[in-house]
Amino acid sequence: MSDYDKVMKLALERGLYFPSCEIYHDAPAGFWEYGPTGVAIKNKFIDLWRRELVRRDGMMEVDGCQIMSKSVFVASGHISNFTDPIIKCTKCNSIFRADRFIEEKTGQRVPERLSNEDMDALLKTHDLKCPNCKGDFGAVSRFNMMFRVGIGPAGEEAYLRPETCQSIFVDFSRVFKTMRGRLPLGIAQVGKSFRNEIAPRQSLLRLREFYQAEIEVFCNPKRLDDMPRFDEVKGTTLRLFKDGDGTVTAVTADEAVAKGLIPSKLVAYYLALLTEFYEKTGVDISRSRFRRLSDEEKAFYASVAFDFEVETSTGWLELVACNYRSDYDLKGHAEISKEKLEVVDPVDQQKVLPHVFELSMGIDRSIYTILEHSYYEEPAKDETRTVLRLKPYLAPVLVGILPLMTKDGLGEKARKIHSDLKRDFDAFYDESGSIGRRYRRLEEAGAPFAITIDQTTMQDDTVTVRYRDSMLQVRVKAADLAQFLRDSLLIK
């Protein structure tokens, strides 16, 4: 069983996530829902993102609408450019995403922006046929991935947003003025986006409805190296992938700028913040890389693009798209809306149409990666011990409260401890089954600690605290439990 399959099994058994509408046979693919355990991890991941990126950098956060007018996406270029290449079998009418189909069948990397004609040539060169009926394919065409909706009785044309950032661009002028903004200014947003994927697959890895955490940094293009806070991260190691020879070069942010590996201190600063953030999530940073995209790979709005990728059992997975979007978005919205979106940079008192550097994070993919990198199987007596080694501040349950038995007052004492802790900490009470089985359930859910109430507790008011990873057990005064748990939540 692959690591992906093991995580998938755990997700279904422990309420992490599961298919939407799964009791119905006509449930569409690409829609997944978080269960109680998964919601807790997702919320804590977002809290960590706010702490390590948004608040650390003094960013502002907005919460935009999920349905936006057609004009927004005309201006952004999504109406004309947000497409994927598709091929259709002329015999059975099966449809496939062209670039991915060619990659899977040939092992040859195919940029999604490769021309339709070049993909047609690859299909012909490799004599690729429909896998369902062995029929021939028609010519490659383009499919727009946005979900169209009709507003009101007249069905006024609008769209579900394919990315959260467009409301940030549309709202930029108002936010800058009302919040007395100064460049560079980071504006962040967490929310759902919607893409009508041709072939959604692998649960959280390719969805039609998904969570994003996006940051748009508005900056003066003349001052991309004017970053006073750069000194905070100049020694942070960045792992840069060289597409030519397939190697990863580990350099500090300072060295990356000096050697021209990264175009500016502004870009290096935010890549360093991103690296430090993911290190705190428990992702193995030695299995990560920043891959600079070629002109054929990067999005239509990007002039420079890096993908933050992490190695998983499914291959290298893109978690964050880091795009220098220049003035593409504000310029487009200014032209279509006829509104002036320039702002005055107080440094030189000159008007400027800001450029934008973007960190577009996939929350669902990030959570899957954290789960896989935290998943361990260890031998324990006559069974395999499954442990989810989540960081305490990301664990859906911080501590389990377990009475050794319910008689002789142990149950009442355990419930009292649980009552005292549950408002401040994610505490779970469990009195069902053997103590070993209860430990296993907590370990599979990622709980870092288990508190056992035994006969000694009734004598000296101490409890046994069991550490998930080492299985070490120590006695702690019941009155000291709250402080013990607070200390465990410190983010280092």
Side-chain angles (χ1 to χ4, degrees):
M1 187 182 293
S2 71
D3 287 349
Y4 172 82
D5 292 329
K6 291 174 182 177
V7 172
M8 187 74 256
K9 182 175 181 290
L10 185 69
L12 295 174
E13 291 177 349
R14 294 296 173 212
L16 289 163
Y17 50 86
F18 36 79
S20 176
C21 308
E22 62 179 330
I23 64 173
Y24 288 100
H25 72 277
D26 62 347
F31 298 91
W32 286 69
E33 299 180 352
Y34 286 98
T37 311
V39 167
I41 296 174
K42 175 173 66 68
N43 289 343
K44 290 181 178 184
F45 175 86
I46 293 170
D47 288 342
L48 184 68
W49 172 81
R50 287 192 173 107
R51 180 188 191 272
E52 295 298 315
L53 290 167
V54 179
R55 292 202 297 273
R56 173 176 176 174
D57 198 55
M59 298 177 188
M60 300 173 186
E61 189 174 349
V62 298
D63 187 358
C65 289
Q66 296 179 1
I67 297 176
M68 304 182 76
S69 75
K70 178 182 178 180
S71 296
V72 169
F73 301 111
V74 171
S76 69
H78 283 81
I79 294 291
S80 55
N81 292 311
F82 196 64
T83 59
D84 272 348
I86 60 172
I87 45 175
K88 185 175 182 179
C89 176
T90 58
K91 185 176 179 182
C92 70
N93 294 324
S94 296
I95 297 175
F96 304 89
R97 179 165 166 173
D99 54 339
R100 296 234 166 83
F101 181 81
I102 296 169
E103 282 186 5
E104 289 171 3
K105 298 302 180 183
T106 68
Q108 179 178 339
R109 192 171 190 171
V110 182
E112 63 182 72
R113 293 182 68 191
L114 192 67
S115 71
N116 292 1
E117 294 74 19
D118 286 340
M119 287 192 219
D120 285 331
L122 286 172
L123 289 165
K124 184 175 181 180
T125 298
H126 295 283
D127 193 28
L128 298 180
K129 305 291 185 180
C130 173
N132 298 330
C133 71
K134 306 305 178 185
D136 293 324
F137 289 113
V140 173
S141 60
R142 292 280 163 171
F143 170 72
N144 192 295
M145 294 187 295
M146 285 196 296
F147 284 101
R148 180 175 172 176
V149 298
I151 297 177
E156 181 182 348
E157 185 177 353
Y159 293 86
L160 286 168
R161 62 188 184 189
E163 54 185 6
T164 61
C165 63
Q166 287 307 317
S167 55
I168 295 177
F169 300 134
V170 172
D171 295 343
F172 166 71
S173 182
R174 180 176 292 277
V175 171
F176 190 87
K177 291 173 184 175
T178 57
M179 303 307 293
R180 300 167 63 197
R182 293 175 63 92
L183 300 178
L185 173 66
I187 302 180
Q189 181 171 196
V190 175
K192 282 193 171 182
S193 294
F194 306 84
R195 296 181 184 179
N196 199 5
E197 291 282 355
I198 298 161
R201 63 182 70 183
Q202 295 179 306
S203 62
L204 300 187
L205 304 191
R206 186 163 295 280
L207 294 161
R208 286 174 167 146
E209 177 180 347
F210 55 97
Y211 284 97
Q212 283 185 299
E214 290 200 297
I215 291 169
E216 308 300 326
V217 181
F218 297 85
C219 54
N220 188 330
K222 296 178 181 178
R223 296 195 291 109
L224 299 181
D225 287 318
D226 184 11
M227 293 291 294
R229 293 189 299 274
F230 182 74
D231 284 347
E232 297 176 15
V233 301
K234 66 181 182 180
T236 299
T237 299
L238 303 178
R239 295 174 52 80
L240 305 179
F241 178 71
K242 293 178 68 175
D243 222 350
D245 56 15
T247 61
V248 172
T249 302
V251 294
T252 66
D254 207 17
E255 292 170 337
V257 175
K259 293 179 179 180
L261 301 174
I262 292 178
S264 67
K265 285 186 176 180
L266 182 139
V267 172
Y269 171 75
Y270 287 104
L271 297 189
L273 288 190
L274 196 64
T275 298
E276 293 181 4
F277 165 75
Y278 272 101
E279 195 161 21
K280 288 181 171 66
T281 68
V283 164
D284 183 354
I285 291 298
S286 69
R287 296 166 62 191
S288 72
R289 67 190 187 187
F290 286 101
R291 184 171 69 87
R292 186 162 183 166
L293 274 59
S294 67
D295 290 341
E296 292 179 322
E297 293 178 292
K298 62 191 180 187
F300 61 88
Y301 45 72
S303 56
V304 177
F306 292 87
D307 277 353
F308 177 73
E309 301 176 330
V310 177
E311 187 180 22
T312 70
S313 61
T314 66
W316 286 94
L317 190 61
E318 174 207 331
L319 302 189
V320 189
C322 310
N323 298 307
Y324 188 80
R325 302 176 71 122
S326 65
D327 62 356
Y328 177 90
D329 300 279
L330 292 186
K331 185 177 181 180
H333 287 300
E335 289 176 355
I336 298 298
S337 69
K338 309 304 180 186
E339 296 288 335
K340 295 185 183 299
L341 299 181
E342 297 97 338
V343 298
V344 175
D345 188 339
V347 172
D348 55 16
Q349 292 299 311
Q350 297 292 315
K351 275 192 173 184
V352 60
L353 186 64
H355 283 204
V356 174
F357 182 64
E358 169 184 74
L359 301 176
S360 178
M361 179 182 296
I363 293 177
D364 313 280
R365 287 179 165 202
S366 295
I367 289 173
Y368 170 79
T369 303
I370 291 166
L371 292 174
E372 185 178 303
H373 280 216
S374 302
Y375 185 96
Y376 290 86
E377 290 183 346
E378 301 170 347
K381 294 184 179 179
D382 297 327
E383 62 177 344
T384 299
R385 175 177 176 250
T386 298
V387 186
L388 202 55
R389 291 182 177 171
L390 296 170
K391 297 288 188 181
Y393 42 81
L394 290 182
V397 176
L398 179 64
V399 61
I401 312 298
L402 317 175
L404 197 59
M405 59 185 74
T406 55
K407 62 182 182 180
D408 299 331
L410 297 184
E412 290 82 352
K413 180 65 174 178
R415 283 190 286 272
K416 175 65 168 60
I417 290 174
H418 178 242
S419 179
D420 290 343
L421 295 177
K422 67 181 181 180
R423 288 197 175 186
D424 295 320
F425 308 97
D426 288 307
F428 180 75
Y429 180 83
D430 189 0
E431 60 182 32
S432 174
S434 70
I435 193 68
R437 184 61 244 161
R438 284 182 274 170
Y439 284 153
R440 294 292 177 267
R441 286 196 291 258
L442 286 171
E443 290 165 349
E444 289 180 2
F449 306 105
I451 294 173
T452 306
I453 290 81
D454 53 25
Q455 286 85 354
T456 305
T457 306
M458 308 306 290
Q459 299 170 12
D460 62 9
D461 205 34
T462 65
V463 298
T464 299
V465 175
R466 180 180 183 274
Y467 287 77
R468 175 196 64 204
D469 298 341
S470 66
M471 294 187 284
L472 176 70
Q473 298 189 16
V474 297
R475 301 295 298 192
V476 175
K477 281 282 188 182
D480 296 336
L481 283 174
Q483 188 58 51
F484 171 86
L485 294 175
R486 285 191 196 95
D487 292 343
S488 75
L489 289 172
L490 295 176
I491 301 172
K492 300 175 182 177

